[in-house]
Amino acid sequence: MKVSLDICILSCICHFALGAHAKSFVEAISDYPELSNFTSLLNSNYGLASIFYSISPTAPQTVLVPDNDAFESFQKSTGQAFASQPYDYIQNVINYQLLNGNLKSEDFGHPAGITVPTGLTGPTYDNRTAGSSLISSGASTGKHDGQVVFIAPSTTPTSFNSRQLGLKGAYVQSGSGRKVNLTAVNGVWDGGVFQIVDGFLTLPDICTRTIRAWGLKSLDSSLNRTGLSSVLDHINNVTCLGPNDKAFLQAGSPDTKANVSALTSAIAFHTIPQPLYSNFLQDGQTFTSLTNDTIRVTIRDGAYYFNDAKALKINVLTNNGLMHVLDRVMSPLDSTGATSSTESSSPTATGASPTPTKSSSAARALVSEPSGWRIFEILGFAYSYIFLIF
């Protein structure tokens, strides 16, 4: 009994001793000369520093701290100092770089990457909600409905410096698919841990502006012709499977030649009413588009395919979900095993070896055959079909 009591007392002493030596966030990052600009920013603005004082150790957070190079890059790209930006903007960026849970170097090595909720909330930048998969994959405490970032191992060996703790490198992908490099230092503070990034995260934008930022002119034109731009921007929890301009051209330029009804149906076919973050996808998994058609996921050699279209860029985050940029206009699932809209290889719906095929009848139909869908039908369907799995 006495031994148990002694152990209990010793445990309490150790707990309080550790707590007494835990540094505040500003104190902790002050030990890193390469973080001096961010340290100065917080020291000169108590309102921003208070973001970190309010975090409880029972709901730890990971801070992605921008290094001095991040400040220099921002100055060069915008012509303005980051510290001179409006207070609300700086606050939103800091909240976006505040991740739910204690994320350390070993967490950044998952080959498929990880999707992590952040402290960025509100409809302007976070018109989405977390589903069961996202909640169960993250920390058990803290907020799960905040806008997300995607973190994955980097293919560029020079992304990390000698402080990378054995990792080959990782990147953080934020709004509009913009990336910054991450250096894992596993720094400890009284509210969690911190890691270093070489840039500020990009706040997510609405779908149409994200599409334009990626130069997807044909998709943007299609949305304007059908009047669906506003719909896509305002529904929440959405995945846009966006063919690039080459894909539209190979499909017969439906953005300019298809009638509005057929084009509306095509856009709805490429829209899934839930965010499909790539790390949650599994080979052979199926989802239902806004046209009530089945979209099948195939994963082969690290690449993601939706029906017969390959994703050239994944997890382009928007404020209401995300976009995967495709190399072709998708064919319906029942025709993907026999036809293809490009000469490139792509897997069949059964997961068989990729085989090169020719232009699909489905793509040609976009130009020549009306589908019966009307704008008001998709408006009503889109707003009534808002739910989330991921």
Side-chain angles (χ1 to χ4, degrees):
M1 187 68 165
K2 183 178 183 302
V3 173
S4 298
L5 181 60
D6 289 342
I7 292 175
C8 181
I9 293 173
L10 182 61
S11 177
C12 290
I13 292 173
C14 291
H15 173 77
F16 286 113
L18 289 172
H21 287 89
K23 293 182 178 181
S24 71
F25 177 70
V26 175
E27 290 173 334
I29 65 173
S30 296
D31 295 335
Y32 292 75
E34 65 267 47
L35 304 181
S36 60
N37 285 346
F38 195 65
T39 303
S40 297
L41 176 66
L42 298 183
N43 281 329
S44 63
N45 195 314
Y46 178 81
L48 296 176
S50 65
I51 294 174
F52 304 99
Y53 297 142
S54 63
I55 295 173
S56 170
T58 60
Q61 306 285 287
T62 298
V63 186
L64 301 179
V65 188
D67 63 13
N68 293 345
D69 288 340
F71 283 81
E72 183 178 350
S73 297
F74 187 93
Q75 177 90 38
K76 287 181 177 180
S77 62
T78 66
Q80 301 176 341
F82 180 78
S84 69
Q85 300 307 297
Y87 179 85
D88 287 349
Y89 171 79
I90 297 176
Q91 184 180 46
N92 284 323
V93 171
I94 290 177
N95 282 329
Y96 197 24
Q97 305 202 179
L98 192 60
L99 313 186
N100 185 35
N102 269 332
L103 296 176
K104 298 183 179 180
S105 53
E106 57 267 26
D107 296 307
F108 307 132
H110 298 287
I114 55 174
T115 301
V116 187
T118 73
L120 182 63
T121 57
T124 300
Y125 302 112
D126 185 35
N127 188 20
R128 45 160 296 286
T129 53
S132 57
S133 295
L134 186 58
I135 293 173
S136 63
S137 69
S140 58
T141 58
K143 298 178 180 179
H144 298 93
D145 278 337
Q147 181 58 260
V148 302
V149 294
F150 180 73
I151 306 177
S154 176
T155 56
T156 306
T158 57
S159 297
F160 270 33
N161 60 28
S162 60
R163 304 179 75 171
Q164 65 190 38
L165 302 179
L167 282 179
K168 293 182 179 179
Y171 64 86
V172 183
Q173 189 162 302
S174 57
S176 298
R178 306 304 181 192
K179 294 180 180 180
V180 298
N181 296 313
L182 183 151
T183 300
V185 296
N186 294 346
V188 178
W189 60 293
D190 58 10
V193 299
F194 64 87
Q195 312 295 351
I196 298 176
V197 290
D198 67 354
F200 291 98
L201 300 189
T202 302
L203 298 176
D205 208 341
I206 59 177
C207 281
T208 51
R209 283 200 289 261
T210 302
I211 288 168
R212 290 167 196 151
W214 275 85
L216 302 179
K217 296 179 180 179
S218 296
L219 179 57
D220 185 36
S221 174
S222 299
L223 291 169
N224 289 331
R225 279 192 64 205
T226 56
L228 295 178
S229 296
S230 181
V231 177
L232 191 59
D233 285 341
H234 289 92
I235 58 175
N236 63 349
N237 301 322
V238 65
T239 295
C240 173
L241 301 175
N244 61 16
D245 286 354
K246 184 178 179 181
F248 271 87
L249 184 63
Q250 291 175 329
S253 301
D255 52 314
T256 58
K257 296 181 180 179
N259 61 63
V260 171
S261 178
L263 190 57
T264 299
S265 182
I267 293 173
F269 175 52
H270 285 74
T271 306
I272 300 175
Q274 58 191 48
L276 304 183
Y277 305 111
S278 64
N279 59 298
F280 293 118
L281 298 178
Q282 299 178 9
D283 187 49
Q285 203 169 10
T286 59
F287 300 92
T288 303
S289 73
L290 283 180
T291 53
N292 207 33
D293 288 294
T294 299
I295 307 298
R296 176 170 291 166
V297 175
T298 302
I299 304 174
R300 185 170 298 279
D301 298 327
Y304 293 84
Y305 296 81
F306 296 88
N307 286 1
D308 54 348
K310 180 180 180 180
L312 300 177
K313 179 68 177 179
I314 58 174
N315 303 319
V316 178
L317 301 177
T318 63
N319 74 331
N320 61 346
L322 72 160
M323 173 175 65
H324 300 303
V325 180
L326 306 183
D327 71 340
R328 57 181 293 159
V329 173
M330 286 192 304
S331 300
L333 190 58
D334 58 6
S335 66
T336 57
T339 57
S340 172
S341 64
T342 70
E343 294 291 337
S344 61
S345 296
S346 60
T348 64
T350 61
S353 299
T355 54
T357 51
K358 296 184 177 181
S359 296
S360 73
S361 58
R364 291 195 299 270
L366 291 177
V367 180
S368 61
E369 298 178 11
S371 67
W373 268 71
R374 294 293 185 268
I375 292 177
F376 288 110
E377 289 177 314
I378 191 174
L379 280 168
F381 192 83
Y383 281 112
S384 66
Y385 201 66
I386 295 171
F387 66 91
L388 178 67
I389 292 178
F390 291 102

